[in-house]
Amino acid sequence: KQEKWYRLAAKTDPQMPQAFLNLGIALALQRQFKEAIDPLRDADRVYRADKEHNPQEKHYGRALGWLTICLLETGNLEQADKTLLTVSKEDRNGIVLEAALRVAIAQGFAQQAFSRIQSLRVTRPEDVPMQYVRILALRSLGQTQEAKDGLQRLIDQIPPDHMVYRFQLNHWKQLMSEP
């Protein structure tokens, strides 16, 4: 339903980056990663064009962070890494950090990513994306049971009707059944 309205907003005003960003995020949350790539690229393109006129905008990094995750999920590790490198220091935020840690895990640096996540847990223990990345790192390190236990705790703490994570819950439950 939201997807329909975001598409309409993007079509109505193609210079409104938030519409493209919201469309891309909505598609990604539905695990339609391939379909999310173009709207996220459009959001980044419009944000970059607008940055000169609106330097206080806080969403520049979000489009690239989500784009990086979508590229990872579609198997484009090299492109995900290159995309992540284009995020300027001032535009880094939580989603960019999540994307960077997921790229590190995919590149074989799970132990380093896990160490970074552990240090973040001290300051952000309830951060759901960081908990999920921690689970990915544990799986990559061969700590399957600990990853499954962590995933079960994560699932248990999220209400089933939570707007942002409702699409993720089914995927996470599927991960619980994998060896």
Side-chain angles (χ1 to χ4, degrees), residues 82-157:
K82 287 180 182 176
T83 299
L84 198 55
L85 293 174
T86 66
V87 180
S88 66
K89 191 173 186 175
E90 64 271 7
D91 293 334
R92 293 179 187 157
N93 57 33
I95 192 69
V96 172
L97 176 59
E98 177 189 349
L101 291 168
R102 289 178 70 170
V103 166
I105 292 166
Q107 290 175 328
F109 298 105
Q111 186 60 55
Q112 293 87 334
F114 183 76
S115 297
R116 180 68 178 129
I117 294 163
Q118 290 297 89
S119 68
L120 289 171
R121 287 182 74 204
V122 173
T123 57
R124 297 164 54 177
E126 302 302 316
D127 190 317
V128 171
M130 285 301 113
Q131 290 181 53
Y132 180 64
V133 175
R134 179 179 179 273
I135 291 161
L136 294 177
L138 287 168
R139 284 187 58 167
S140 184
L141 292 168
Q143 297 177 27
T144 309
Q145 190 56 51
E146 191 175 343
K148 284 184 176 185
D149 293 346
L151 190 55
Q152 187 60 56
R153 284 190 303 274
L154 181 61
I155 289 169
D156 290 346
Q157 85 179 40

Side-chain angles (χ1 to χ4, degrees), residues 19-173:
F20 291 111
L21 177 64
N22 290 344
L23 174 59
I25 292 171
L27 291 167
L29 289 174
Q30 295 174 66
R31 303 199 58 74
Q32 296 177 33
F33 298 110
K34 187 175 181 181
E35 294 79 9
I37 291 172
D38 283 341
L40 292 168
R41 283 187 173 141
D42 288 339
D44 179 56
R45 175 186 48 77
V46 178
Y47 275 131
R48 285 181 190 275
D50 184 53
K51 196 169 186 174
E52 291 177 25
H53 309 293
N54 191 3
Q56 301 304 313
E57 176 61 55
K58 301 293 185 203
H59 296 292
Y60 298 122
R62 287 185 70 207
L64 291 174
W66 278 101
L67 178 57
T68 299
I69 289 170
C70 291
L71 290 166
L72 272 176
E73 291 287 344
T74 56
N76 294 307
L77 176 58
E78 186 176 325
Q79 188 63 42
D81 190 38
K82 287 180 182 176
T83 299
L84 198 55
L85 293 174
T86 66
V87 180
S88 66
K89 191 173 186 175
E90 64 271 7
D91 293 334
R92 293 179 187 157
N93 57 33
I95 192 69
V96 172
L97 176 59
E98 177 189 349
L101 291 168
R102 289 178 70 170
V103 166
I105 292 166
Q107 290 175 328
F109 298 105
Q111 186 60 55
Q112 293 87 334
F114 183 76
S115 297
R116 180 68 178 129
I117 294 163
Q118 290 297 89
S119 68
L120 289 171
R121 287 182 74 204
V122 173
T123 57
R124 297 164 54 177
E126 302 302 316
D127 190 317
V128 171
M130 285 301 113
Q131 290 181 53
Y132 180 64
V133 175
R134 179 179 179 273
I135 291 161
L136 294 177
L138 287 168
R139 284 187 58 167
S140 184
L141 292 168
Q143 297 177 27
T144 309
Q145 190 56 51
E146 191 175 343
K148 284 184 176 185
D149 293 346
L151 190 55
Q152 187 60 56
R153 284 190 303 274
L154 181 61
I155 289 169
D156 290 346
Q157 85 179 40
I158 298 173
D161 61 344
H162 191 284
M163 190 172 142
V164 175
Y165 296 110
R166 68 174 179 238
F167 296 108
Q168 296 290 82
L169 286 174
N170 287 333
H171 172 69
W172 290 347
K173 288 176 183 175

